[in-house]
Amino acid sequence: MAGVGKYNAQEVENHWYDYWMNHGYFHSEIDERTPYTIVIPPPNVTGVLHMGHMLNNTLQDVLIRRARLKGFNACWVPGTDHASIATEAKVVAKLKSEGIEKSDLTREEFLEHAWEWTHKHGGIILEQLKKLGASCDWQRTKFTMDPDLSESVIQVFVDLYRKGLIYRGYRMVNWDPEAKTTLSDEEVIHQERQGHLYYINYAVADSKEKVLIATTRPETLLGDTAVCIHPEDPRYTHLKGKEVIVPICGRKVPIIEDTYVAMDFGTGCLKVTPAHDENDKVLGEKHQLEVIDIFNDDATLNEQGLHYKGQDRFAVRKAIVEELKTLGCLEKVETHTHKVGTSERTGAVIEPKLSDQWFLKMKDLAQPALDAVLNKEVMLVPEKFINTYRHWMEGVRDWNISRQLWWGHQIPAYYYGSGREDFVVAATLEEALELARKRSGNAELSHEDLTQDADALDTWFSSWLWPISVFDGIRNPDNPEINYYYPTNDLVTAPEILFFWVARMIIAGYEYRGARPFENVYLTGIVRDKQRRKMSKSLGNSPDPLDLIDKYGADGVRVGMLLSSPAGNDLMFDEDLCQQGSSFVNKIWNAYRLVSGWTISEEIPQSDSDRKAIEWYAQKFQSVLGEIEDHFSKYRISDALMATYKLVWDDFCSWFLEWVKPEYGKAISADTYAQVVALFEANLKILHPFVPFVSEEIWQKLSVRTKDQALIIAQWPEINAPDTDLIQAFEHTKEVVSGIRTLRKEKNISFKETIDLTVNDVANLGDYYQSAVAKFCNVAQVNYADVAPEGALSFRVRSNEYYVPVSGYVDVQQERKKLLEELAYTEGFLKSVRGKLSNARFVDNAPEAVVAAERQKETDALAKINTINSALESLG
RNA sequence: GGGUCAUUAACUCAGUUGGUUCAGAGUGUUACCUUGACAGGGUAGAAGUCACUGGUUCGAAUCCAGUAUGACCCACCA
């Protein structure tokens, strides 16, 4: 056997990826075919591939390759996201390590560093995706800060502003003191923390009385501007209208009354700090309280912090508690668990802060996007996410879209005066100037008089346009590409960004295209380790995907990822799965090695046995193909893979190839060979989405192909209804084979010893699969007999009795025992069936088919009892 | 505090509208086989009180109620 050696994944994978790239198979242009489009969830431009990406992109590649084979014009648009806050944080850290502070730089200087960083690290992740086999249309690679995409973002901002949906407001926002920027509500993670509830006495002005207040944040008392009680709280009636003295700063503040206060929590008396708490702010507005901000942007205290000025909030908390103790104001301290908001990006504890920010009104925009999901115009897979989605959309709040960052799209608002409203919003400076002149009535205004808003837009304000902007559908809403590729078909992403991204894309889709951005959203789970911990860099429990690919091959890793990834459920990743994947690849490869080693002869006519094997496998293939289609239609990708896996491993390799395999040293009929190869090729087609490399390799080795005949662009097998009778008949044969194998094993009859087989009913085994029995079990002859031959081993398949007359192996006692056991079981079964059938309520209520099935069982059981009795008799 | 989902073999999961001999798969495991594709192989086997308790039904892993455990999402009680 010449030539074909062990499989070398690395070599094969590099070779075929280059080949696919060089021949442009991944590239899509508009043509007469129906498009099938996926836009990649753009990873952070400077990110590196992690297991989540791996899962995500493997799924997308499976879908896109399958679509390509099914004759769609498959287009998978890759790209990256500028990831405003994440990237800026990395650049700031990098500069810091070089001794440069961001505050020392101008915006332009900083952006230069950021671009340099982006060019250096950007796109690494896309190169990594290529190792995985991702068949993205790389010519279409986009970046959210490409000039055209940036223009689209600005255009949308201006448009929404003019529609009155974007506004500037002085609001309580989530402040990340580490990144020194605001965050949207979605970027705040609430974590349960063990804290304390401090009970502090405030002195009542002009009296000896004290009032006890409970708080988790004693340091904010420096910003207190009132104390609030419930108007109907009998404990505090005498305090109405009085004032109290805030400890340490000695500020005299009013006691106000509001039903907002819960009488049953703490002491029923609340300190009000309008600058540092959302609810207090509401109270402050209602009661016209003074607002005293005590923090700097980095959450150290400002001059309002008195002698604590310049110190960090948490240090101050400790110090203030000590001071209160010294002053005798601290009554007691209780432990208290409560939820603390932290930054999704930096982990810093969020500080509620009042400031001027830009907001997008969401309520009206969200309505069509909510309807679309509820009426399944956009399908969420799995459907359980529909509820989550609805809940969020119904309660959606205005979106804070401004960030105090430099890396990103700068807000196109221009200030021309000192008033709060002295600004205009425009896509270009020229346009802004014109508008500013008009608004101010000052025709003398020049460029120098305009100052652009310093803030950048939230990253998601650009990615929510992604499915549209990658086809330039914002700037040129009528261009052929957007009309052809949009709406896209499937989106594959993580549920974590359902609100951040998916919901907002749907909103943008209806607002800017009047149509859904995609038909289906496949939400993957989180990749976890064996201990169910989320895989993360910080835990160090995440294998490097590229190491895995080195070790198991990309095909092996793809199979490993897909073997256990039901939509929306977490994936318990175990490296053994990749091992299983690579074993599968090896199995496919060895099937090829076998076939390639055969000597082909034109002289040999096709045997009856070969013909039957081919007939059977063709039908079996059809039957499994149908299952695979069904699984894909329900996005059950693991199941589709497992069906393919079993078809190839068990049916194709273990049954079919063993069946047609010529005896050692003999040649195979040329006709048979050609048909075996054709069936092998059909297998390769359905394998290709899962294991693109090994399938292409074998495909190209089975015969010489031109570039138009590559597997990647082959035609998916035609789907026909299988002949189920034929498949059933062979299932019966398999059981007979299995029965004989068991007998051989029990009686220790060597496979080399030829045996005969006697059947009591021709109908089921028939002569059709005699050849299979002969081939698999070394059976020389099959005979038919109505009654059991004397002194034979026996077994039963369904209602048939099979006998193997082998002298010297039959232990009469043991045979009898076995038969009696089987008889007892069958009689017991018959009894239970008859029990059901004699139950009038069952016969009356159960569907006809079910009753008929029971009657059939009864008949079968009776027949079986007869054959067993006959066998017992023959034993004597 | 509100909500969603899960709980089936040692592990990871199927089990479609309740109905084939009171549950299947892959992996793992056990025994045996294996110098002609593959030990990353083959054959055969063992392994489950379908979380628990009730209920509906002729019949429940499947439907209903409750309990327990776990996961996730949302939420401004100091």
Side-chain angles (χ1 to χ4, degrees):
Chain A
M1 199 177 89
V4 183
K6 291 210 167 185
Y7 185 63
N8 182 336
Q10 216 158 32
E11 209 173 278
V12 168
E13 291 175 5
N14 289 333
H15 176 257
W16 291 112
Y17 202 83
D18 287 346
Y19 182 86
W20 292 329
M21 285 285 271
N22 294 338
H23 291 88
Y25 298 117
F26 302 163
H27 182 56
S28 166
E29 293 277 349
I30 296 174
D31 62 23
E32 69 295 341
R33 290 175 298 168
T34 308
Y36 172 88
T37 316
I38 295 181
V39 291
I40 203 169
N44 292 0
V45 64
T46 63
V48 290
L49 201 67
H50 59 62
M51 295 306 287
H53 295 124
M54 238 14 212
L55 172 60
N56 239 313
N57 289 291
T58 300
L59 286 163
Q60 289 173 72
D61 198 47
V62 167
L63 295 175
I64 206 90
R65 283 183 186 269
R66 187 172 125 89
R68 203 178 280 124
L69 292 170
K70 295 201 94 173
F72 293 98
N73 185 348
C75 181
W76 184 10
V77 183
T80 48
D81 191 285
H82 65 282
S84 176
I85 188 169
T87 307
E88 180 151 331
K90 280 183 197 166
V91 175
V92 167
K94 181 236 176 198
L95 289 171
K96 202 164 201 162
S97 74
E98 295 165 3
I100 305 169
E101 288 294 324
K102 182 186 166 193
S103 51
D104 298 339
L105 301 174
T106 64
R107 186 185 195 110
E108 286 65 37
E109 286 168 340
F110 178 81
L111 287 178
E112 245 171 72
H113 284 290
W115 275 110
E116 196 187 310
W117 174 270
T118 299
H119 290 136
K120 192 169 159 201
H121 299 272
I124 291 178
I125 195 162
L126 299 183
E127 290 306 308
Q128 293 178 312
L129 284 179
K130 293 179 182 170
K131 293 272 176 241
L132 182 63
S135 59
C136 301
D137 186 348
W138 299 108
Q139 292 176 45
R140 292 179 178 274
T141 306
K142 300 284 191 230
F143 175 47
T144 50
M145 275 174 63
D146 283 345
D148 49 335
L149 274 79
S150 296
E151 262 185 45
S152 305
V153 171
I154 298 306
Q155 189 181 322
V156 162
F157 183 96
V158 173
D159 178 66
L160 291 170
Y161 178 77
R162 295 197 175 147
K163 285 174 178 160
L165 293 170
I166 285 180
Y167 63 94
R168 193 154 177 267
Y170 188 67
R171 296 275 198 96
M172 184 68 76
V173 291
N174 308 298
W175 183 260
D176 178 341
E178 203 168 311
K180 299 195 190 77
T181 178
T182 61
L183 299 176
S184 66
D185 294 335
E186 290 69 39
E187 286 167 301
V188 178
I189 315 284
H190 290 93
Q191 288 180 345
E192 195 149 275
R193 292 270 175 95
Q194 183 74 247
H196 300 279
L197 200 53
Y198 302 90
Y199 289 79
I200 303 165
N201 277 311
Y202 284 40
V204 178
D206 310 318
S207 125
K208 290 234 157 76
E209 252 190 293
K210 287 174 179 175
V211 57
L212 193 61
I213 287 163
T215 179
T216 53
R217 300 199 58 193
E219 71 280 9
T220 60
L221 65 79
L222 297 168
D224 284 358
T225 53
V227 162
C228 189
I229 55 170
H230 195 281
E232 280 146 41
D233 194 330
R235 293 171 294 179
Y236 299 120
T237 328
H238 62 292
L239 292 177
K240 288 185 181 178
K242 295 199 173 167
E243 289 180 314
V244 296
I245 313 281
V246 180
I248 298 176
C249 66
R251 184 182 303 126
K252 203 184 268 187
V253 301
I255 292 174
I256 58 171
E257 299 164 43
D258 201 291
T259 51
Y260 164 74
V261 178
M263 289 190 275
D264 57 353
F265 187 89
T267 62
C269 191
L270 175 74
K271 68 195 257 320
V272 185
T273 323
H276 300 297
D277 186 279
E278 175 88 47
N279 300 310
D280 291 13
K281 187 219 167 200
V282 174
L283 281 175
E285 280 172 356
K286 208 161 146 191
H287 299 272
Q288 286 151 9
L289 300 174
E290 197 185 343
V291 176
I292 299 175
D293 190 333
I294 64 165
F295 290 122
N296 294 312
D297 285 352
D298 59 355
T300 57
L301 274 77
N302 60 21
E303 58 283 357
Q304 293 290 346
L306 308 173
H307 47 288
Y308 295 109
K309 184 183 169 188
Q311 297 183 41
D312 181 75
R313 53 188 165 159
F314 297 120
V316 173
R317 180 176 302 172
K318 278 187 188 149
I320 270 193
V321 168
E322 285 309 310
E323 186 173 352
L324 289 169
K325 220 182 267 176
T326 316
L327 293 172
C329 298
L330 190 68
E331 183 83 16
K332 60 173 172 173
V333 181
E334 285 176 353
T335 56
H336 177 66
T337 44
H338 59 139
K339 294 287 180 79
V340 176
T342 59
S343 165
E344 192 227 4
R345 202 41 67 179
T346 66
V349 173
I350 293 303
E351 196 61 57
K353 184 183 167 75
L354 279 165
S355 67
D356 265 320
Q357 301 292 338
W358 294 91
F359 295 90
L360 174 60
K361 287 185 192 166
M362 296 294 278
K363 194 86 201 143
D364 292 345
L365 283 173
Q367 195 57 51
L370 173 58
D371 295 343
V373 168
L374 292 184
N375 65 29
K376 310 233 170 132
E377 205 173 298
V378 174
M379 287 281 298
L380 300 188
V381 181
E383 292 191 354
K384 68 177 178 187
F385 287 108
I386 295 174
N387 273 331
T388 318
Y389 178 90
R390 183 180 62 203
H391 191 249
W392 188 77
M393 287 296 251
E394 283 173 349
V396 72
R397 300 201 282 171
D398 288 359
W399 176 13
N400 174 201
I401 52 174
S402 48
R403 296 288 179 278
Q404 288 63 57
L405 298 167
W406 283 342
W407 179 243
H409 304 98
Q410 194 173 353
I411 290 178
Y414 300 83
Y415 301 88
Y416 56 84
S418 52
R420 244 191 125 259
E421 299 301 320
D422 292 345
F423 67 84
V424 292
V425 168
T428 63
L429 188 58
E430 285 310 313
E431 206 189 324
L433 185 60
E434 203 176 303
L435 283 170
R437 282 175 176 162
K438 213 177 281 174
R439 273 201 61 182
S440 64
N442 177 1
E444 303 299 308
L445 279 180
S446 73
H447 291 136
E448 287 75 55
D449 299 317
L450 294 186
T451 318
Q452 187 170 359
D453 194 300
D455 289 356
L457 286 161
D458 181 5
T459 294
W460 303 102
F461 194 84
S462 54
S463 33
W464 76 323
L465 305 174
W466 187 247
I468 306 173
S469 59
V470 294
F471 299 114
D472 204 18
I474 298 286
R475 300 187 312 164
N476 299 303
D478 263 327
N479 83 72
E481 292 240 313
I482 188 80
N483 287 330
Y484 180 71
Y485 290 111
Y486 189 98
T488 70
N489 298 76
D490 295 328
L491 179 80
V492 180
T493 193
E496 298 160 311
I497 53 175
L498 184 61
F499 307 134
F500 277 119
W501 193 47
V502 180
R504 289 170 182 161
M505 277 192 290
I506 300 174
I507 292 174
Y510 284 97
E511 182 67 12
Y512 285 99
R513 298 301 306 172
R516 59 184 173 187
F518 25 71
E519 291 169 26
N520 305 292
V521 182
Y522 180 102
L523 294 152
T524 64
I526 295 165
V527 183
R528 294 175 183 278
D529 68 8
K530 271 197 216 168
Q531 285 114 59
R532 293 189 173 262
R533 295 175 309 178
K534 189 173 168 176
M535 279 191 174
S536 74
K537 231 193 218 166
S538 53
L539 272 176
N541 60 348
S542 177
D544 181 342
L546 293 186
D547 290 347
L548 291 176
I549 290 175
D550 278 347
K551 203 164 158 192
Y552 301 104
D555 283 337
V557 176
R558 290 166 68 109
V559 170
M561 300 276 351
L562 257 25
L563 271 173
S564 181
S565 53
N569 281 342
D570 290 353
L571 163 64
M572 256 29 90
F573 182 79
D574 183 342
E575 227 181 283
D576 292 349
L577 291 171
C578 293
Q579 182 57 55
Q580 197 185 338
S582 104
S583 298
F584 182 47
V585 169
N586 184 254
K587 184 73 187 179
I588 303 166
W589 179 249
N590 277 299
Y592 164 68
R593 283 176 81 183
L594 172 68
V595 172
S596 70
W598 286 338
T599 310
I600 304 152
S601 167
E602 301 282 350
E603 325 282 275
I604 305 175
Q606 183 169 69
S607 70
D608 194 43
S609 168
D610 285 357
R611 196 166 48 76
K612 281 163 184 160
I614 289 160
E615 268 175 19
W616 167 72
Y617 187 73
Q619 292 310 314
K620 182 71 192 182
F621 180 87
Q622 279 305 326
S623 142
V624 175
L625 183 61
E627 284 171 33
I628 292 169
E629 293 298 318
D630 184 51
H631 286 139
F632 268 109
S633 74
K634 293 170 182 150
Y635 292 86
R636 299 162 73 143
I637 314 293
S638 293
D639 293 337
L641 169 59
M642 190 41 75
T644 311
Y645 179 100
K646 284 197 277 190
L647 174 73
V648 171
W649 198 308
D650 299 339
D651 296 311
F652 187 71
C653 293
S654 298
W655 287 102
F656 178 65
L657 288 183
E658 292 294 336
W659 194 350
V660 297
K661 179 162 126 182
E663 276 175 60
Y664 183 63
K666 292 194 179 157
I668 190 166
S669 140
D671 287 344
T672 299
Y673 179 78
Q675 284 170 295
V676 170
V677 166
L679 291 168
F680 203 153
E681 287 176 343
N683 288 340
L684 293 175
K685 290 175 182 177
I686 61 171
L687 280 165
H688 186 260
F690 301 111
V691 284
F693 295 109
V694 70
S695 54
E696 183 78 79
E697 169 78 1
I698 296 173
W699 175 267
Q700 300 275 354
K701 278 194 144 63
L702 281 173
S703 59
V704 178
R705 320 272 181 177
T706 66
K707 73 177 176 51
D708 297 327
Q709 295 167 329
L711 178 59
I712 187 175
I713 50 162
Q715 214 178 357
W716 189 259
E718 200 182 314
I719 301 154
N720 295 310
D723 178 342
T724 50
D725 288 348
L726 197 158
I727 292 169
Q728 271 311 305
F730 191 63
E731 285 307 308
H732 188 103
T733 308
K734 280 180 176 175
E735 287 183 55
V736 174
V737 169
S738 192
I740 296 171
R741 280 172 175 162
T742 311
L743 278 190
R744 277 190 185 275
K745 188 169 168 164
E746 273 175 12
K747 305 293 172 187
N748 219 355
I749 306 169
S750 162
F751 184 81
K752 286 168 188 150
E753 191 174 326
T754 306
I755 54 170
D756 287 343
L757 181 68
T758 301
V759 199
N760 74 336
D761 184 355
V762 195
N764 279 315
L765 183 65
D767 64 350
Y768 193 78
Y769 287 117
Q770 259 193 61
S771 58
V773 174
K775 184 94 185 188
F776 288 105
C777 306
N778 194 11
V779 167
Q781 215 181 332
V782 180
N783 304 309
Y784 303 105
D786 288 337
V787 292
E790 265 181 55
L793 297 168
S794 70
F795 63 91
R796 281 145 294 277
V797 173
R798 301 181 196 183
S799 54
N800 282 21
E801 186 87 11
Y802 293 87
Y803 308 95
V804 179
V806 274
S807 53
Y809 289 103
V810 185
D811 176 335
V812 177
Q813 286 303 95
Q814 220 186 323
E815 278 298 294
R816 185 189 302 281
K817 191 171 162 238
K818 205 174 82 183
L819 285 166
L820 287 172
E821 273 169 14
E822 225 174 318
L823 185 63
Y825 178 83
T826 313
E827 281 173 340
F829 173 67
L830 179 65
K831 198 178 157 196
S832 106
V833 171
R834 284 188 163 157
K836 267 193 207 176
L837 286 170
S838 61
N839 182 338
R841 281 188 295 185
F842 171 74
V843 180
D844 294 344
N845 295 326
E848 222 170 289
V850 175
V851 179
E854 290 301 315
R855 293 205 193 283
Q856 184 59 47
K857 282 189 218 165
E858 184 185 27
T859 316
D860 290 350
L862 282 170
K864 196 163 183 174
I865 287 168
N866 273 336
T867 62
I868 295 171
N869 282 330
S870 149
L872 279 169
E873 265 169 47
S874 75
L875 278 178

